[in-house]
Amino acid sequence: MKIGEIVSASVLGGLTTKLELENPEDLRIGYPVIVEGRQYDFFCLVHDIVNETSDIAERLAGSRLRDSIMPAGYQEGYGGPIFYSKALLKPIQLIDKEDGHLSEPETIPPYFSETRHAMEKDVELIYQRTSGSAPLGTIRGVSKFYVHIDFQTLTEKPFAIFGRTGMGKSILNKLVCSCILARGAGSVIIFDMHGEYGVYSRTDRTEGLKFFFPERVEILSLDPKNREARPFLVDPGEIRPEDLIVALQDLNQNMIDAIYEIDRHRRSDLISAIRQALPEEYDETKVHPTVLNALKRRMMRLQRLPFIRPTGKDVFSTIIGLIRAGKSLVLDFGDFGTDQMVYLFVANVLARRLFDLYTERNQEFPRLILFLEEAHKFLDPGIATYTIFSKLARETRKFNLILALVDQRPSKIDDEVRSQLANRLVMSLKEPSDVTSALAGVPDRSMWENIISTIPARCVAVLGDAIRIPTVIDVMHYDDMNVREHILQDGATHQALEQIAAKADEVL
């Protein structure tokens, strides 16, 4: 359907179309449209929609004559309608009219080129499926066209899911994990603070990963009341100074220095060494008595945790066996899900040991994607140097251990870590610093800043090399029928085709 004609164009600045829509509300920022040139179809995204300043409109506003004049304003004449809207468009791809070849936009369409809504036949040329791709939802502005993302590519490097609270990050994260498992792109580890990823979500009763992949997902729990999960225990002997510094984020520099000093001289586990330390055992300039007493009080927070105890058999060896077997892990926090200190402590301990394992023996293990919610609490510039996660983002893509950030405050994440992100799935953000940080390094950032600030809940902008062009997607409803129809069923089909192809030589 025609929506307008081009009245100005620039390769760098974009295109402007004069709309012929009676109601500009029929168009939205982020919608795909096609501008029909002579040699190319210009695949564009709507950057902005404007009613420009009009002297006539200003004079009529509030006037009794407005209602009698307005109908005549829309009648066609030599000068066209008096009142109209414009859409600012950003060309994303050129589609050759003869052979359908795609290329980057390096030219502009002629004046009066027709602008229309993109149709299914247009977007099919842009979004091509692969054996590693799966859909997260439909493209905005095109009826029920499911956009596929290549999850093999997505999981090769660190990536992030950004969006403010209440915009649907958890649902999007479930879909991403389901697609990774369905396409065999890797295994995942989820720190499940609120009981959302196991068999069923405790909050909305939607299905979890264990529901769809019962043989491939194992649940571990910090909470001894959860008898259906394997117990997760932390041996005190495995605790390092950095684990305490990350978990107890109210430590000052004197306390941090004291922890390292005690660690150098300890004969037992670090927590016990701090609790049993005597002031006279240390130089006052290195471990002051008041500092030591403050540390002892803070150790009480960790001492009460039932999952920190000598394990006899290291539970991490069990985790290693599960990962080697291709299992994905959901770590359920149970009653500790609201305790930020517990989350910071456990996530850092587990991630540090995984980092050591994968950097030394990565060839023995499948690709593992570690999902880190509330990522800014680990990667704030003030604390990032003490955590293992900044190293994970920078170094482990070559070791098959991939970090996935899930966060609502990207501006609080260290710049160096954000620079490592190859793909970003960005939902609605309002704080200007968060919008800018989420899109740092993205081409056409000003356009995407406008889009991210205005898209509604349950929509996501996908930017990076896992999708052919940056795209705004309406995230599909997460339920049993959608997951089985669009994610699991596609995966079964691809798997069947691969099995047939593998036997082709024998058949022939």
Side-chain angles (χ1 to χ4, degrees), residues 25-80:
E25 296 171 359
D26 293 336
L27 201 59
R28 297 279 193 279
I29 283 182
Y31 272 22
V33 297
I34 296 293
V35 176
E36 296 187 345
R38 293 175 185 167
Q39 183 177 349
Y40 300 103
D41 284 337
F42 292 72
F43 185 92
C44 307
L45 292 182
V46 177
H47 179 194
D48 199 1
I49 305 166
V50 297
N51 285 331
E52 294 186 335
T53 302
S54 165
D55 290 339
I56 300 176
E58 289 185 2
R59 291 176 181 274
L60 287 175
S63 167
R64 297 177 183 176
L65 298 175
R66 183 193 63 192
D67 293 337
S68 59
I69 293 176
M70 278 293 286
Y74 285 101
Q75 292 175 3
E76 193 71 28
Y78 175 78

Side-chain angles (χ1 to χ4, degrees), residues 127-416:
Y127 303 101
Q128 298 173 355
R129 301 185 182 189
T130 67
S131 60
S133 68
L136 290 178
T138 55
I139 189 170
R140 298 194 78 207
V142 181
S143 178
K144 289 299 179 185
F145 180 85
Y146 284 86
V147 179
H148 278 237
I149 294 171
D150 192 319
F151 284 89
Q152 293 286 351
T153 303
L154 179 73
T155 56
E156 286 175 354
K157 294 168 241 178
F159 64 95
I161 298 173
F162 293 136
R164 57 196 173 96
T165 302
M167 292 297 103
K169 287 195 305 298
S170 294
I171 292 299
L172 177 60
N173 199 17
K174 282 186 182 182
L175 288 169
V176 168
C177 291
S178 297
C179 291
I180 290 171
L181 296 183
R183 294 300 176 269
S187 301
V188 303
I189 287 187
I190 302 278
F191 298 110
D192 192 1
M193 297 175 66
H194 305 296
E196 297 184 69
Y197 297 94
V199 181
Y200 287 98
S201 168
R202 294 194 194 116
T203 55
D204 59 11
R205 299 304 297 168
T206 55
E207 299 83 358
L209 296 182
K210 181 74 171 176
F211 178 87
F212 292 114
F213 305 94
E215 303 300 322
R216 297 175 56 190
V217 175
E218 293 289 337
I219 303 175
L220 295 89
S221 182
L222 304 177
D223 193 339
K225 294 195 297 292
N226 188 343
R227 301 298 178 86
E228 298 179 355
R230 296 171 183 256
F232 181 88
L233 302 175
V234 176
D235 191 318
E238 294 296 333
I239 295 172
R240 301 288 179 265
E242 293 79 12
D243 303 326
L244 301 182
I245 295 167
V246 172
L248 305 169
Q249 294 198 355
D250 58 349
L251 302 178
N252 59 36
Q253 189 58 49
N254 289 333
M255 294 177 187
I256 293 172
D257 292 341
I259 289 175
Y260 280 109
E261 181 66 19
I262 294 171
D263 183 60
R264 279 195 290 270
H265 297 90
R266 67 183 174 93
R267 295 183 179 86
S268 59
D269 66 85
L270 181 56
I271 293 178
S272 297
I274 293 173
R275 290 180 53 244
Q276 297 166 6
L278 300 174
E280 55 268 22
E281 296 176 337
Y282 297 94
D283 186 333
E284 215 175 272
T285 60
K286 296 181 179 178
V287 182
H288 195 276
T290 57
V291 171
L292 182 58
N293 288 332
L295 281 178
K296 288 184 176 183
R297 289 194 298 272
R298 284 163 173 78
M299 290 307 105
M300 295 297 291
R301 303 180 200 171
L302 296 169
Q303 185 183 3
R304 65 181 172 79
L305 299 176
F307 55 84
I308 300 180
R309 65 174 189 263
T311 61
K313 181 183 178 182
D314 187 3
V315 71
F316 191 68
S317 62
T318 301
I319 293 174
I320 292 172
L322 293 172
I323 294 172
R324 183 184 278 113
K327 302 278 189 179
S328 292
L329 306 179
V330 174
L331 180 54
D332 174 44
F333 279 67
D335 288 346
F336 301 103
T338 57
D339 192 330
Q340 175 179 304
M341 181 203 70
V342 171
Y343 174 48
L344 296 171
F345 173 75
V346 170
N348 200 68
V349 169
L350 182 57
R352 176 173 50 78
R353 298 193 68 181
L354 287 171
F355 177 87
D356 293 341
L357 177 71
Y358 267 77
T359 51
E360 293 174 6
R361 300 160 53 192
N362 68 89
Q363 294 180 348
E364 300 177 25
F365 299 96
R367 180 181 297 170
L368 183 65
I369 300 93
L370 180 64
F371 283 84
L372 185 67
E373 298 203 35
E374 302 287 334
H376 71 274
K377 293 177 180 176
F378 298 89
L379 296 169
D380 183 278
I383 200 73
T385 55
Y386 297 107
T387 75
I388 199 65
F389 295 103
S390 58
K391 285 186 178 180
L392 272 171
R394 293 193 307 269
E395 300 177 18
T396 53
R397 69 179 69 178
K398 55 193 172 194
F399 300 123
N400 247 359
L401 181 61
I402 306 300
L403 183 63
L405 309 182
V406 184
D407 202 78
Q408 69 271 25
R409 296 303 311 273
S411 61
K412 294 184 176 293
I413 295 175
D414 186 71
D415 292 344
E416 187 178 354

